[in-house]
Amino acid sequence: MTTSMPEASNKRKVIDMEHADKRFSKEEESLLKRIKGSRLLAIDAVLAAPPDNSWNTVRLHFDNFDLDINNSLHDIVVDELGTLEEFGLLSIAKTTKKTLEIPEVGADTSTFEIGRTVERITIVNDIADIYGDGSLVARIEYPQAIALHTESGIIMLDKEVWFSEMIAIKKGRSIDGILYDDSVNWEDDPEEDPSTHFEFHTETQCL
């Protein structure tokens, strides 16, 4: 499922395009790198759709520090006409509050005991190329998931759908086995002009 982003075909027209690069910043990547070799004690979440869909924020507790993985909506330009769409964008921050506060939900915090050492981290980035009248008019790049590799499997925080504010907490043996395929949300109407369409790719980035 995970592939490298191919170069644009020379048969297509490529014009000045909108480019929204919403991947993690260097500062956020540094926070993730701090996880390597650390013991993940527990995960806190406010569950909007039990058993594993958290609303907005997942808090990771380690031996000597805590991190918040956030998913919040932002407007992104998706075509040459300036059309805006709301995207759920992941971000990473040091924990600054003692408890999770999701006032719009008003639910209690659930804690998942983990007790595993994180050996490495993989970021899964989505890339959506948008074509209009045969030309590449916009490219959107954003992180979909964070995979924490431990001695006994993968713990994944997956935002799944591009317009969602939730984060799914998953466990499995492989990234492809548990990652949601977001490309299904970019399907085109077959009755519309085929020169106007989306092309969807997924890249993995190892830290």
Side-chain angles (χ1 to χ4, degrees):
M1 173 184 170
T2 53
T3 61
S4 296
M5 185 172 60
E7 296 182 358
S9 169
N10 56 14
K11 295 180 180 179
R12 289 178 175 147
K13 296 181 293 179
V14 179
I15 60 174
D16 290 339
M17 66 174 183
E18 296 290 339
H19 183 202
D21 185 353
K22 301 299 181 179
R23 297 175 187 241
F24 290 133
S25 67
K26 294 299 182 183
E27 291 76 13
E28 289 173 312
E29 289 183 5
S30 294
L31 290 175
L32 284 178
K33 289 177 181 178
R34 188 180 177 188
I35 293 174
K36 292 175 65 174
S38 298
R39 187 171 179 81
L40 176 58
L41 305 176
I43 297 175
D44 288 346
V46 176
L47 298 181
D52 61 3
N53 271 282
S54 170
W55 194 263
N56 290 122
T57 300
V58 170
R59 179 162 294 166
L60 308 179
H61 294 282
F62 297 93
D63 284 319
N64 300 311
F65 64 97
D66 300 328
L67 291 181
D68 282 354
I69 312 299
N70 303 299
N71 185 18
S72 55
L73 293 177
H74 298 264
D75 286 334
I76 293 182
V77 177
V78 297
D79 61 24
E80 75 279 19
L81 302 177
T83 304
L84 295 175
E85 291 282 358
E86 280 193 329
F87 272 70
L89 296 178
L90 293 177
S91 62
I92 302 166
K94 294 179 181 178
T95 298
T96 57
K97 295 182 180 180
K98 292 182 179 180
T99 58
L100 287 175
E101 295 181 3
I102 315 293
E104 62 267 35
V105 177
D108 293 331
T109 301
S110 298
T111 298
F112 302 89
E113 301 294 337
I114 305 297
R116 300 181 189 176
T117 299
V118 179
E119 298 174 342
R120 57 191 177 92
I121 302 102
T122 300
I123 300 170
V124 181
N125 292 307
D126 289 341
I127 301 96
D129 285 344
I130 303 173
Y131 288 87
D133 193 25
S135 296
L136 179 61
V137 296
R139 173 171 293 159
I140 304 166
E141 305 176 44
Y142 56 93
Q144 176 180 326
I146 301 167
L148 307 178
H149 301 260
T150 74
E151 66 274 15
S152 55
I154 294 173
I155 299 168
M156 178 179 285
L157 306 177
D158 184 0
K159 79 181 204 67
E160 296 193 332
V161 183
W162 59 271
F163 50 80
S164 174
E165 294 179 84
M166 293 193 290
I167 301 173
I169 304 167
K170 304 176 178 181
K171 295 180 181 180
R173 304 300 303 182
S174 70
I175 289 177
D176 285 350
I178 55 178
L179 181 72
Y180 181 81
D181 183 5
D182 195 29
S183 63
V184 299
N185 295 294
W186 295 87
E187 291 178 351
D188 301 298
D189 185 342
E191 296 181 358
E192 293 184 356
D193 183 352
S195 66
T196 300
H197 66 283
F198 301 104
E199 291 187 4
F200 183 89
H201 315 283
T202 302
E203 291 181 343
T204 56
Q205 177 185 354
C206 298
L207 299 179

